[in-house]
Short mmCIF file of all heavy atoms in Angstrom, two decimals:
data_model
loop_
_atom_site.label_atom_id
_atom_site.label_comp_id
_atom_site.label_asym_id
_atom_site.label_seq_id
_atom_site.Cartn_x
_atom_site.Cartn_y
_atom_site.Cartn_z
N LYS A 111 -48.57 82.00 95.34
CA LYS A 111 -49.99 81.62 95.58
C LYS A 111 -50.56 82.52 96.70
O LYS A 111 -49.88 82.82 97.67
CB LYS A 111 -50.09 80.13 95.93
CG LYS A 111 -51.46 79.59 95.96
CD LYS A 111 -51.43 78.05 95.95
CE LYS A 111 -52.77 77.42 96.26
NZ LYS A 111 -52.96 77.25 97.72
N GLU A 112 -51.83 82.84 96.57
CA GLU A 112 -52.48 83.82 97.45
C GLU A 112 -52.35 83.51 98.92
O GLU A 112 -52.27 84.44 99.76
CB GLU A 112 -53.94 83.97 97.08
CG GLU A 112 -54.21 84.94 95.95
CD GLU A 112 -55.70 85.18 95.69
OE1 GLU A 112 -56.51 84.28 96.02
OE2 GLU A 112 -56.02 86.30 95.25
N ASP A 113 -52.39 82.25 99.34
CA ASP A 113 -52.43 81.96 100.75
C ASP A 113 -51.01 81.80 101.37
O ASP A 113 -50.89 81.39 102.54
CB ASP A 113 -53.24 80.70 101.04
CG ASP A 113 -52.70 79.45 100.31
OD1 ASP A 113 -51.77 79.60 99.44
OD2 ASP A 113 -53.14 78.35 100.54
N LYS A 114 -49.94 82.08 100.61
CA LYS A 114 -48.62 81.89 101.14
C LYS A 114 -48.06 83.14 101.79
O LYS A 114 -48.57 84.24 101.56
CB LYS A 114 -47.69 81.47 99.96
CG LYS A 114 -48.08 80.15 99.29
CD LYS A 114 -47.97 78.97 100.23
CE LYS A 114 -48.35 77.65 99.54
NZ LYS A 114 -48.22 76.50 100.41
N ASN A 115 -46.97 82.96 102.56
CA ASN A 115 -46.35 84.08 103.28
C ASN A 115 -45.42 84.83 102.34
O ASN A 115 -44.19 84.63 102.33
CB ASN A 115 -45.61 83.54 104.49
CG ASN A 115 -45.06 84.68 105.39
OD1 ASN A 115 -44.93 85.82 104.93
ND2 ASN A 115 -44.74 84.35 106.61
N ALA A 116 -46.01 85.69 101.48
CA ALA A 116 -45.25 86.32 100.43
C ALA A 116 -44.18 87.25 101.00
O ALA A 116 -43.04 87.33 100.45
CB ALA A 116 -46.17 87.13 99.54
N LYS A 117 -44.43 87.95 102.09
CA LYS A 117 -43.46 88.92 102.64
C LYS A 117 -42.18 88.20 103.06
O LYS A 117 -41.07 88.60 102.68
CB LYS A 117 -44.06 89.65 103.81
CG LYS A 117 -43.14 90.71 104.39
CD LYS A 117 -43.86 91.55 105.44
CE LYS A 117 -42.96 92.66 105.99
NZ LYS A 117 -41.84 92.11 106.87
N GLU A 118 -42.33 87.12 103.79
CA GLU A 118 -41.13 86.39 104.30
C GLU A 118 -40.38 85.76 103.13
O GLU A 118 -39.13 85.76 103.11
CB GLU A 118 -41.52 85.35 105.30
CG GLU A 118 -40.33 84.77 106.03
CD GLU A 118 -40.71 83.86 107.19
OE1 GLU A 118 -41.87 83.86 107.61
OE2 GLU A 118 -39.82 83.10 107.65
N MET A 119 -41.12 85.27 102.16
CA MET A 119 -40.47 84.62 100.96
C MET A 119 -39.65 85.66 100.21
O MET A 119 -38.52 85.43 99.79
CB MET A 119 -41.51 83.99 100.08
CG MET A 119 -42.12 82.74 100.68
SD MET A 119 -43.56 82.14 99.76
CE MET A 119 -42.83 81.68 98.21
N LEU A 120 -40.27 86.88 100.02
CA LEU A 120 -39.57 87.96 99.25
C LEU A 120 -38.34 88.44 100.05
O LEU A 120 -37.33 88.81 99.43
CB LEU A 120 -40.52 89.07 98.93
CG LEU A 120 -41.61 88.76 97.88
CD1 LEU A 120 -42.51 89.95 97.66
CD2 LEU A 120 -41.01 88.30 96.57
N GLU A 121 -38.47 88.52 101.32
CA GLU A 121 -37.32 88.97 102.16
C GLU A 121 -36.14 88.07 101.97
O GLU A 121 -34.99 88.47 102.06
CB GLU A 121 -37.72 89.01 103.63
CG GLU A 121 -38.54 90.23 104.00
CD GLU A 121 -39.04 90.20 105.46
OE1 GLU A 121 -39.28 89.13 106.02
OE2 GLU A 121 -39.09 91.28 106.07
N ILE A 122 -36.39 86.79 101.71
CA ILE A 122 -35.32 85.81 101.52
C ILE A 122 -34.70 85.90 100.10
O ILE A 122 -33.51 85.86 99.95
CB ILE A 122 -35.84 84.36 101.79
CG1 ILE A 122 -36.29 84.27 103.26
CG2 ILE A 122 -34.77 83.33 101.45
CD1 ILE A 122 -37.15 83.05 103.57
N ILE A 123 -35.55 85.99 99.09
CA ILE A 123 -35.09 85.92 97.71
C ILE A 123 -34.57 87.21 97.14
O ILE A 123 -33.63 87.26 96.34
CB ILE A 123 -36.19 85.32 96.77
CG1 ILE A 123 -35.66 84.99 95.39
CG2 ILE A 123 -37.38 86.26 96.68
CD1 ILE A 123 -34.68 83.84 95.37
N LEU A 124 -35.14 88.36 97.55
CA LEU A 124 -34.81 89.62 96.88
C LEU A 124 -33.31 90.03 97.03
O LEU A 124 -32.74 90.53 96.07
CB LEU A 124 -35.67 90.78 97.44
CG LEU A 124 -37.15 90.71 97.02
CD1 LEU A 124 -37.93 91.86 97.68
CD2 LEU A 124 -37.28 90.77 95.52
N PRO A 125 -32.65 89.76 98.14
CA PRO A 125 -31.23 90.17 98.27
C PRO A 125 -30.27 89.57 97.23
O PRO A 125 -29.21 90.12 97.04
CB PRO A 125 -30.84 89.73 99.69
CG PRO A 125 -32.15 89.76 100.47
CD PRO A 125 -33.16 89.27 99.46
N ILE A 126 -30.64 88.47 96.58
CA ILE A 126 -29.72 87.88 95.56
C ILE A 126 -30.17 88.32 94.14
O ILE A 126 -29.51 87.85 93.17
CB ILE A 126 -29.65 86.37 95.68
CG1 ILE A 126 -30.94 85.71 95.26
CG2 ILE A 126 -29.21 85.95 97.05
CD1 ILE A 126 -30.83 84.21 94.98
N CYS A 127 -31.18 89.15 94.01
CA CYS A 127 -31.71 89.50 92.67
C CYS A 127 -31.22 90.85 92.24
O CYS A 127 -31.21 91.82 93.04
CB CYS A 127 -33.24 89.48 92.71
SG CYS A 127 -33.93 87.90 93.13
N ARG A 128 -30.86 90.98 90.96
CA ARG A 128 -30.54 92.28 90.38
C ARG A 128 -31.75 92.83 89.60
O ARG A 128 -31.93 94.05 89.43
CB ARG A 128 -29.34 92.17 89.40
CG ARG A 128 -28.10 91.69 90.07
CD ARG A 128 -27.67 92.63 91.23
NE ARG A 128 -27.27 93.94 90.79
CZ ARG A 128 -26.09 94.28 90.42
NH1 ARG A 128 -25.10 93.40 90.44
NH2 ARG A 128 -25.81 95.49 90.04
N LYS A 129 -32.61 91.92 89.11
CA LYS A 129 -33.81 92.35 88.42
C LYS A 129 -34.91 91.39 88.77
O LYS A 129 -34.73 90.17 88.93
CB LYS A 129 -33.55 92.27 86.87
CG LYS A 129 -34.79 92.65 86.05
CD LYS A 129 -34.38 92.61 84.55
CE LYS A 129 -35.55 92.96 83.67
NZ LYS A 129 -35.20 92.97 82.21
N VAL A 130 -36.14 91.92 88.97
CA VAL A 130 -37.30 91.09 89.37
C VAL A 130 -38.46 91.45 88.42
O VAL A 130 -38.71 92.59 88.14
CB VAL A 130 -37.68 91.37 90.82
CG1 VAL A 130 -39.04 90.71 91.14
CG2 VAL A 130 -36.63 90.83 91.78
N ILE A 131 -39.11 90.36 87.96
CA ILE A 131 -40.34 90.56 87.22
C ILE A 131 -41.46 89.82 88.03
O ILE A 131 -41.41 88.59 88.18
CB ILE A 131 -40.28 89.95 85.83
CG1 ILE A 131 -39.14 90.57 85.02
CG2 ILE A 131 -41.56 90.15 85.07
CD1 ILE A 131 -38.87 89.94 83.67
N PHE A 132 -42.37 90.63 88.58
CA PHE A 132 -43.53 90.00 89.27
C PHE A 132 -44.58 89.67 88.24
O PHE A 132 -44.93 90.48 87.39
CB PHE A 132 -44.08 90.98 90.32
CG PHE A 132 -43.16 91.20 91.48
CD1 PHE A 132 -42.78 92.49 91.82
CD2 PHE A 132 -42.73 90.14 92.28
CE1 PHE A 132 -41.93 92.71 92.93
CE2 PHE A 132 -41.89 90.32 93.36
CZ PHE A 132 -41.50 91.63 93.69
N THR A 133 -45.07 88.44 88.34
CA THR A 133 -46.14 88.02 87.40
C THR A 133 -47.24 87.29 88.16
O THR A 133 -47.29 87.38 89.38
CB THR A 133 -45.51 87.11 86.30
OG1 THR A 133 -46.50 86.85 85.32
CG2 THR A 133 -44.96 85.81 86.84
N SER A 134 -48.15 86.62 87.46
CA SER A 134 -49.27 86.01 88.10
C SER A 134 -49.80 84.80 87.30
O SER A 134 -49.34 84.52 86.20
CB SER A 134 -50.41 87.02 88.27
OG SER A 134 -50.84 87.46 86.98
N TYR A 135 -50.70 84.07 87.92
CA TYR A 135 -51.37 82.93 87.26
C TYR A 135 -52.76 82.74 87.88
O TYR A 135 -53.02 83.16 88.98
CB TYR A 135 -50.57 81.65 87.35
CG TYR A 135 -50.30 81.22 88.75
CD1 TYR A 135 -51.25 80.54 89.52
CD2 TYR A 135 -49.05 81.47 89.31
CE1 TYR A 135 -50.96 80.11 90.81
CE2 TYR A 135 -48.78 81.06 90.64
CZ TYR A 135 -49.75 80.36 91.38
OH TYR A 135 -49.48 79.97 92.62
N GLU A 136 -53.64 82.18 87.10
CA GLU A 136 -54.95 81.73 87.57
C GLU A 136 -55.23 80.42 86.88
O GLU A 136 -55.33 80.35 85.67
CB GLU A 136 -56.03 82.75 87.26
CG GLU A 136 -57.40 82.32 87.82
CD GLU A 136 -58.44 83.44 87.74
OE1 GLU A 136 -58.05 84.61 87.80
OE2 GLU A 136 -59.63 83.09 87.55
N ILE A 137 -55.32 79.35 87.66
CA ILE A 137 -55.42 78.00 87.09
C ILE A 137 -56.66 77.31 87.59
O ILE A 137 -57.00 77.41 88.78
CB ILE A 137 -54.16 77.19 87.48
CG1 ILE A 137 -52.92 77.83 86.91
CG2 ILE A 137 -54.28 75.72 87.00
CD1 ILE A 137 -51.65 77.31 87.48
N ILE A 138 -57.35 76.63 86.68
CA ILE A 138 -58.48 75.80 87.12
C ILE A 138 -57.95 74.43 87.28
O ILE A 138 -57.55 73.73 86.31
CB ILE A 138 -59.66 75.81 86.05
CG1 ILE A 138 -60.17 77.23 85.88
CG2 ILE A 138 -60.75 74.88 86.48
CD1 ILE A 138 -61.17 77.37 84.76
#
């Protein structure tokens, strides 16, 4: 979500990933 701390979240999750698919959503 746009207002979240994406950098810190990715720093935590990326080291355990071999493949990443970045995607998106827009919800009413």
Side-chain angles (χ1 to χ4, degrees):
K111 191 165 168 272
E112 276 187 331
D113 60 351
K114 299 296 181 178
N115 187 341
K117 183 173 183 288
E118 192 172 344
M119 289 169 66
L120 291 178
E121 283 177 324
I122 296 164
I123 190 66
L124 290 177
I126 68 165
C127 299
R128 299 302 294 272
K129 179 177 179 178
V130 169
I131 303 175
F132 290 124
T133 188
S134 62
Y135 58 80
E136 183 172 328
I137 297 165
I138 299 174

